[in-house]
Amino acid sequence: MTTSFGLDLPDYPWDRLTDFRRRAGEHPDGVCDLSIGTPVDPTPEVIRRALSEAGDAHGYPTTAGTTELREAIADWYEIWHSVTLDPAAEILPTVGSKEFVAWLPTLLGLRQRGLAVACPSAAYPTYEMGATIAGVDCVRLDAAEVAAGASLEGIGLLWINTPSNPTGEVLSTEILAEVVDRARAAGIVLASDECYGLLNWESNDPAPSVLSVAGESRSGVLSVYSMSKQSNLAGYRAAFVAGDADLIADLTRSRKHAGMIVPFPIQAAMIAGLRDTDHVLAQKQLYRSRRNLLRSGLENFGFRIDHSTAGLYLWSTTGQNCWDSLARLSELGIIAGPGEFYGEAASDHVRIALTATDERIAAAANRLSQAAG
């Protein structure tokens, strides 16, 4: 008799790229891996120094984070979004944003309440995986549909993502405000994943935060943010959530029981990164130059770029199925992310990341332009 243990989860989707990686690896000038948005540039010195200086961390850190960290996060929202938060009640650091996305449906007790998760039609896979881990259904529902009056019956958690991963679309304040009103009227939690918010290419201002339209109470609303993108901190697992004080209190209590705690040296590094804006602006400019070069090469090759007004990706299509596009790109030694990973609605797009070195971005752009003839 065979006994199965654990959750019945699908294989990790990126494993399906093995054959494309092998083909791309045959290119004489090497692979240009533009598939996963992991930072390649150095972590800023101001952050590394703070991490090192906090290395004597012999005691247990707190789940709620230090007072200094919560104040730095509150100041960050004030500086970038003109939102005033109570550091003691409306802020919680998390071990990266992915773990928070994955565990939020469970921590909200959606299964016990018989409620589902909703997320965008083209979305970061972890929203749906969080529902799977919690043992509840996931409904695909875009913010524009919610604003237009789509039913929210049976939903306990509504995820929105602005700027979007994978599409790079930024929701307007008008759409955000309508979604907030409808979620509150339905009595559901609205969580906004905003981790690409400072990488807005059509404005010097950040993409709007849901907290900018939520009002002073923040009732039922959470803003989720990660420092991985703005500060090259993916390896630090440095993120935070802000919003409804009652929700933050409940989540803090649950996370205490589960041991979900940001290590103290990481908290110190986060403070340094949040208080230094120079490195954020410099990194954005670096990504902007890579984006301009890569976009030109993709368009020369025949790709159409949709949305992509913010974030670290170019949402690209030739009108073909994403796997056909991946095959063509692999012949050039380029690897991209298949749209199918983000939902059926995305199956004719590929996600092409800006997170490669200047040299690899230039090589990819050159190969695309040369192949166009």
Side-chain angles (χ1 to χ4, degrees), residues 35-232:
S35 62
I36 299 178
T38 184
V40 299
D41 299 307
T43 300
E45 174 61 28
V46 65
I47 297 174
R48 285 183 285 162
R49 184 168 59 250
L51 179 75
S52 176
E53 292 174 353
D56 183 17
H58 46 271
Y60 289 113
T62 61
T63 299
T66 64
T67 298
E68 293 78 11
L69 174 57
R70 294 195 305 273
E71 289 175 346
I73 295 169
D75 290 344
W76 183 90
Y77 274 101
E78 181 72 51
I79 291 167
W80 293 104
H81 294 294
S82 300
V83 170
T84 301
L85 294 167
D86 179 355
E90 296 181 316
I91 288 168
L92 175 65
T94 64
V95 191
S97 60
K98 184 172 184 176
E99 68 89 351
F100 185 81
V101 171
W103 288 107
L104 184 57
T106 298
L107 297 181
L108 291 176
L110 296 189
R111 182 176 182 181
Q112 294 89 325
R113 295 156 56 201
L115 297 172
V117 173
C119 74
S121 58
Y124 182 49
T126 309
Y127 305 130
E128 185 170 9
M129 188 54 59
T132 301
I133 291 170
V136 303
D137 292 334
C138 183
V139 178
R140 296 286 179 156
L141 193 59
D142 290 321
E145 295 176 281
V146 175
S151 173
L152 296 174
E153 184 177 356
I155 294 171
L157 169 62
L158 172 63
W159 278 108
I160 58 175
N161 180 204
T162 179
S164 165
N165 172 16
T167 72
E169 180 181 11
V170 175
L171 297 178
S172 68
T173 54
E174 292 78 15
I175 291 287
L176 285 173
E178 186 61 34
V179 172
V180 168
D181 288 346
R182 294 221 55 235
R184 283 175 170 165
I188 68 177
V189 174
L190 172 62
S192 179
D193 182 349
E194 303 172 350
C195 72
Y196 297 92
L198 299 192
L199 297 170
N200 190 3
W201 306 118
E202 295 190 346
S203 171
N204 291 326
D205 296 323
S209 169
V210 71
L211 296 184
S212 300
V213 302
E216 292 185 6
S217 76
R218 259 73 78 169
S219 174
V221 175
L222 297 172
S223 164
V224 181
Y225 194 78
S226 167
M227 296 178 67
S228 295
K229 315 305 180 185
Q230 71 166 51
S231 300
N232 300 325

